[in-house]
Amino acid sequence: MAREPDLRVIPLICPDCGARLPAEEGSVIFPCGECALLWEPREEALVRRELRLLAGEGSVHVSFWLFPFRVTTAGGEVTTLGEYRRLTGNSNRLEPERQGMPPLLFIPAVAGMPPHLLLRAGRLLTLRSPVLTSRRGFPSRLMAIGRGERDAALMAQTILLATLGPERLRNLSFLRSVKVTVGEGGLCAIPFLERGERLLHGEWSLEI
Ligand SMILES: [Zn+2]
């Protein structure tokens, strides 16, 4: 009889307070509500993960990975928010003090999100590059986190390409030249309002 490979099981117990961590289906990073911390199993231990809580209206929090990024194209390198918005043809006003900041890719981290919604949410927020206001605290209702940093980073190119205008997307030699490099990712929790089965971010007109 073939021997099953050994499976290492990490008990889902908060290393700080000993509380049982909620193991929702598809979770890869687990919150401890007692300690207001996130834990991620890595190799044989639980490693602490930071969560940035964003201000806004709503009681259900949806997690996103935020990655600073740079893009190389046939036309040169794009390293700032101002340059990125020119690349996408985004004509909305950008505060002068944000021009030189690194652009951020938004990649949903929530478990079980259908691919088309994931792409739409990532595209919309990356393109819009909203001003982010943090607040202190930890979300009491956080949707299960189903995507780790490495998995999220693999989607960077797809989401970046989705933010480019149709003219760019028709230009195959331009598309072939596009290369996205992401920096270290950070998790943030964005508040959404409950609207029946859906979640709504009113200010950003985003429904998931
Ligand atoms: Zn704890």
Side-chain angles (χ1 to χ4, degrees):
M1 215 167 94
R3 193 166 175 268
E4 293 289 321
D6 288 339
L7 283 177
R8 293 217 168 87
V9 177
I10 304 173
L12 285 177
I13 301 283
C14 174
D16 276 9
C17 74
R20 188 181 286 272
L21 302 175
E24 286 179 67
E25 197 181 339
S27 287
V28 297
I29 296 178
F30 304 90
C32 176
E34 300 291 321
C35 301
L37 288 176
L38 293 180
W39 296 103
E40 181 176 23
R42 258 195 246 153
E43 294 172 13
E44 287 173 61
L46 289 169
V47 176
R48 193 177 155 174
R49 271 286 182 182
E50 298 299 325
L51 179 70
R52 176 179 174 189
L53 181 59
L54 296 190
E57 229 188 310
S59 58
V60 180
H61 287 79
V62 179
S63 53
F64 283 74
W65 285 101
L66 303 187
F67 290 96
F69 69 95
R70 55 177 59 209
V71 193
T72 316
T73 75
E77 198 176 36
V78 167
T79 60
T80 67
L81 186 54
E83 290 165 352
Y84 165 65
R85 287 165 65 102
R86 279 191 289 283
L87 180 74
T88 61
N90 186 337
S91 56
N92 293 349
R93 213 181 118 267
L94 180 66
E95 304 78 356
E97 65 275 16
R98 295 178 70 216
Q99 291 278 355
M101 291 168 71
L104 285 178
L105 266 169
F106 287 70
I107 301 181
V110 66
M113 190 184 235
H116 70 282
L117 283 183
L118 192 152
L119 187 64
R120 190 158 65 91
R123 173 185 176 277
L124 191 136
L125 292 185
T126 301
L127 199 53
R128 184 167 301 186
S129 36
V131 177
L132 304 177
T133 312
S134 301
R135 69 178 181 83
R136 291 173 65 87
F138 193 79
S140 55
R141 292 176 67 198
L142 178 65
M143 302 281 287
I145 302 173
R147 185 165 291 103
E149 181 175 356
R150 196 178 297 177
D151 271 0
L154 290 176
M155 303 186 65
Q157 183 99 355
T158 306
I159 290 191
L160 186 279
L161 286 174
T163 67
L164 301 180
E167 220 159 278
R168 300 269 190 201
L169 295 177
R170 276 196 295 270
N171 183 341
L172 278 184
S173 64
F174 173 84
L175 281 184
R176 284 197 196 102
S177 75
V178 173
K179 186 170 179 291
V180 182
T181 313
V182 297
E184 195 181 333
L187 265 178
C188 77
I190 300 178
F192 278 72
L193 296 162
E194 279 180 286
R195 285 286 178 275
E197 297 278 286
R198 317 293 301 265
L199 296 174
L200 174 74
H201 195 294
E203 195 189 330
W204 299 340
S205 316
L206 176 61
E207 203 180 81
I208 57 176

